[in-house]
């Protein structure tokens, strides 16, 4: 699938979103059909848990239904808007879960005889499935690595710096250079804000 | 480490676009973003670029999800005209705890809002027990009080320990009331064995509730948990904790 670069699909998604904004449930179901593999795929990748991914995806689409009218074309494509919402929710869920997983694990230890099965560890599986993905292949390995840790693993830039054993400042620079390069490689998304640093 | 005190606020723009700022950093950056047009533009551009990071990860969601999403939207439309157009949520099912537990067991957090909604519907006319003269406040306001806290879906629960008072207290903000026939019970969980009850959360329609946690000391417990129990409490927790507060932090 060619991302949201495909003109015809882009127009279909845009129409479906506009219809949803007007309260048209048919249009919303088309929006769902056009975008859900992409949205759900991202959420599954970040959460690594299909039950939770379904919960989050449902929240995302309800949010989209309620807020469709707030979409602004000058802020990006409809798909990018949806994915931004989905990613934020997925990451918030990951952070809430990992904050509590340490406590939950201890609670399990203290209140049950049986050993805790280490579901928490699944969040640790890293960087698998780096299928060759278009513009990403034009980044340096180091840039791709920080972007994937941050975006797909839901790590904060501090966590990225700790995971890689690099100073926070380096992690920030690498994340920024990588993302700006990705934007350039994708060609003319936006009119190119000033490139600082 | 470096830069705790904002060197260049612009520099977090890419991390923000990737949702890679922890809560505190995110809040700080958003405050900056409000007044920085160039960062606003850059955030939009960079967020557009992040779409590329999930290209190729498509997963066909299960058909049930589609059905649930569309049903939820249809239902919301029905309700939209205003409350009262739909009947109150199944009055004969005060709180479906089995489902709630299941959800929690899946590591979902879905049941808290369920409990809150049920409590909002059902807790009217419960007996409200206000604690006398607030011995809890003495602990909370003690100059040496340590605070341990957690947030669960909009509620904040703080546990205070004061060495000088030799006493612990809990303060809960925006905690929904237990539904009728249930109580929220607080537990001390230590390294050895069974949780010890620290008492029931008093029923109150104040948004903030404080209680003394008699006999709790961080020396012999490292977690405080809250569970929903049958009215009057249980000997041991019978449901999954709705909140756990870590005393190790």
């Amino acid at each position: 699938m060619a991302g949201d670069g495909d003109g015809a699909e882009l127009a279909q998604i845009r129409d479906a979103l506009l219809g949803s904004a007007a309260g048209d449930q048919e249009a919303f179901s088309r929006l769902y059909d056009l975008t859900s593999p992409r949205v759900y795929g991202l959420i599954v990748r970040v959460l690594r848990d299909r039950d939770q991914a379904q919960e989050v995806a449902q929240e995302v689409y309800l949010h989209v239904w309620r807020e469709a009218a707030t979409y602004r074309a000058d802020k990006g494509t409809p798909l990018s808007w949806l994915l931004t919402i989905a990613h934020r929710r997925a990451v918030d869920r990951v952070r809430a879960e990992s904050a509590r997983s340490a406590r939950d694990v201890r609670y399990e230890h203290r209140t049950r005889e049986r050993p805790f099965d280490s579901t928490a560890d699944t969040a640790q599986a890293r960087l698998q499935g780096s299928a060759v993905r278009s513009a990403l292949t034009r980044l340096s390995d180091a840039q791709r690595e920080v972007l994937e840790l941050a975006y797909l693993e839901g790590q904060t830039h501090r966590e990225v710096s700790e995971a890689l054993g690099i100073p926070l400042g380096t992690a920030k620079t690498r994340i920024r250079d990588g993302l700006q390069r990705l934007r350039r490689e994708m060609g003319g998304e936006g009119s190119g804000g000033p490139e600082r640093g | 480490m470096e830069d705790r005190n904002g060197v260049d606020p612009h520099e977090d723009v890419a991390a923000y676009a990737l949702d890679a700022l922890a809560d505190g950093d995110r809040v700080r950056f958003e405050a900056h973003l409000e007044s920085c047009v160039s960062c606003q533009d850059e955030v939009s551009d960079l967020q557009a670029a992040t779409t590329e990071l999930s290209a190729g990860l498509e997963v066909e969601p299960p058909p049930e999800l589609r059905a649930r999403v569309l049903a939820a939207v249809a239902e919301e439309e029905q309700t939209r005209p205003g409350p009262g157009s739909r009947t109150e949520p199944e009055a004969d099912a005060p709180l479906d705890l089995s489902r709630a537990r299941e959800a929690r067991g899946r590591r979902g957090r879905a049941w808290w809002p369920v409990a809150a909604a049920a409590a909002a519907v059902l807790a009217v006319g419960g007996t409200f027990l206000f604690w006398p003269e607030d011995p809890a406040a003495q602990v909370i306001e003690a100059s040496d009080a340590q605070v341990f806290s957690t947030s669960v879906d909009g509620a904040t629960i703080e546990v205070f320990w004061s060495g000088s008072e030799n006493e612990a207290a809990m303060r809960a903000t925006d905690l929904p009331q237990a539904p009728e026939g249930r109580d929220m019970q607080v537990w001390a969980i230590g390294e050895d064995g069974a949780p010890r009850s620290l008492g029931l959360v008093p029923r109150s329609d104040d948004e903030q509730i404080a209680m003394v946690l008699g006999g709790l000391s961080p020396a012999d417990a490292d977690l405080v948990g809250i569970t929903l129990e049958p009215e009057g409490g249980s000997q041991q927790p019978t449901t999954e904790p709705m909140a756990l507060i870590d005393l190790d932090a």
Side-chain angles (χ1 to χ4, degrees):
Chain A
M1 233 182 252
D4 55 346
D6 177 346
E9 198 185 6
L10 178 63
Q12 282 180 339
I13 297 176
R14 182 162 281 146
D15 286 349
L17 182 58
L18 286 176
S20 305
D24 177 352
Q25 294 180 44
E26 285 282 297
F28 180 76
S29 70
R30 280 202 306 282
L31 180 68
Y32 179 91
D33 293 337
L34 286 163
T35 58
S36 59
R38 194 64 191 273
V39 166
Y40 183 66
L42 172 60
I43 298 172
V44 166
R45 178 61 180 79
V46 172
L47 287 173
R48 296 176 181 284
D49 176 316
R50 295 198 175 212
D51 285 339
Q52 285 201 47
Q54 287 185 45
E55 287 174 20
V56 171
Q58 183 168 346
E59 287 170 21
V60 166
Y61 276 102
L62 262 180
H63 178 88
V64 166
W65 170 251
R66 291 174 188 148
E67 302 293 327
T70 67
Y71 163 71
R72 293 281 170 271
D74 61 338
K75 297 286 186 193
T77 65
L79 184 61
S80 141
W81 183 67
L82 253 87
L83 290 171
T84 299
I85 294 167
H87 189 262
R88 170 70 73 98
R89 296 242 170 181
V91 161
D92 284 350
R93 174 70 71 107
V94 164
R95 305 238 170 98
E97 286 299 321
S98 66
R100 104 187 20 175
S101 71
R103 298 188 303 250
D104 285 356
V105 167
R106 280 193 294 139
Y107 181 84
E108 294 286 335
H109 276 310
R110 302 292 149 75
T111 55
R112 310 251 144 112
E113 293 304 316
R114 61 180 171 75
F116 185 74
D117 65 339
S118 58
T119 27
D121 289 356
T122 52
Q124 264 323 330
R126 290 185 35 194
L127 293 186
Q128 44 143 244
S130 280
V132 185
R133 293 196 304 267
S134 54
L136 268 183
T137 60
R138 274 165 268 152
L139 305 185
S140 72
D141 287 348
Q143 288 173 337
R144 193 163 56 240
E145 182 177 43
V146 291
L147 292 188
E148 292 194 342
L149 280 174
Y151 193 74
L152 299 180
E153 303 298 332
Q155 293 193 1
T156 65
H157 57 10
R158 286 170 207 281
E159 288 166 340
V160 169
S161 84
E162 280 160 26
L164 298 178
I166 56 178
L168 179 60
T170 308
K172 286 183 177 187
T173 308
R174 208 175 282 176
I175 284 172
R176 188 159 167 187
D177 291 350
L179 194 52
Q180 284 173 340
R181 171 114 184 248
L182 183 60
R183 177 179 59 186
R184 285 196 303 274
E185 293 294 345
M186 287 168 67
E189 277 283 2
S191 46
E195 276 174 32
R196 291 178 219 94
Chain B
M1 296 155 239
E2 61 242 69
D3 104 271
R4 193 68 216 185
N5 303 313
V7 175
D8 173 9
H10 305 291
E11 76 176 357
D12 282 344
V13 67
Y16 178 79
L18 288 165
D19 295 321
L21 294 180
D23 288 350
D25 291 334
R26 185 193 280 179
V27 168
R28 222 170 326 128
F29 183 77
E30 282 176 345
H32 163 70
L33 191 59
E34 241 165 59
S35 61
C36 179
V37 177
S38 88
C39 277
Q40 288 169 12
D41 289 345
E42 198 172 356
V43 165
S44 306
D45 282 356
L46 293 177
Q47 277 176 343
T50 63
T51 59
E52 189 66 14
L53 293 167
S54 62
L57 296 176
E58 290 86 350
V59 176
E60 199 63 49
E64 314 87 81
L65 179 63
R66 183 181 198 274
R68 276 206 304 274
V69 166
L70 297 183
V73 162
E75 186 182 2
E76 183 159 308
E77 277 312 278
Q78 257 182 359
T79 357
R80 187 163 285 185
S85 68
R86 235 174 62 84
T87 41
E88 60 283 355
E90 311 90 286
D92 58 334
L95 177 62
D96 190 343
L97 267 182
S98 58
R99 267 201 4 225
R101 272 200 294 275
E102 205 179 285
R104 173 71 205 188
R106 292 199 318 265
R107 305 190 55 71
R109 302 189 296 141
W111 81 274
W112 181 266
V114 174
V121 172
L122 294 168
V124 210
T127 51
F128 301 123
L129 196 151
F130 293 99
W131 284 60
E133 277 312 74
D134 229 356
Q138 290 189 324
V139 178
I140 292 167
E141 284 153 21
S143 57
D144 67 335
Q146 291 171 266
V147 192
F148 312 91
S149 69
T150 192
S151 293
V152 188
D153 291 303
T156 303
I157 297 149
E158 298 158 294
V159 170
F160 297 81
W161 163 255
S162 160
S164 65
E165 300 280 332
N166 194 26
E167 190 91 86
M170 185 179 88
R171 181 167 68 190
T173 308
D174 296 328
L175 187 70
Q177 290 190 16
E180 215 165 82
R182 306 260 169 191
D183 273 314
M184 289 193 199
Q185 190 164 7
V186 188
W187 305 93
I189 301 144
E191 290 188 27
D192 47 346
R196 271 184 307 119
S197 175
L198 296 170
L200 303 178
V201 177
R203 282 180 171 275
S204 157
D205 48 5
D206 292 353
E207 67 191 37
Q208 201 162 70
I209 300 165
M211 64 187 280
V212 167
L213 299 178
L216 173 69
S217 148
D220 52 38
D222 62 356
L223 289 170
V224 168
I226 302 179
T227 61
L228 201 56
E229 299 295 333
E231 194 163 17
S234 305
Q235 291 291 101
Q236 283 295 304
T238 63
T239 63
E240 294 290 323
M242 62 179 70
L244 287 170
I245 301 98
D246 194 337
L247 305 185
D248 269 2

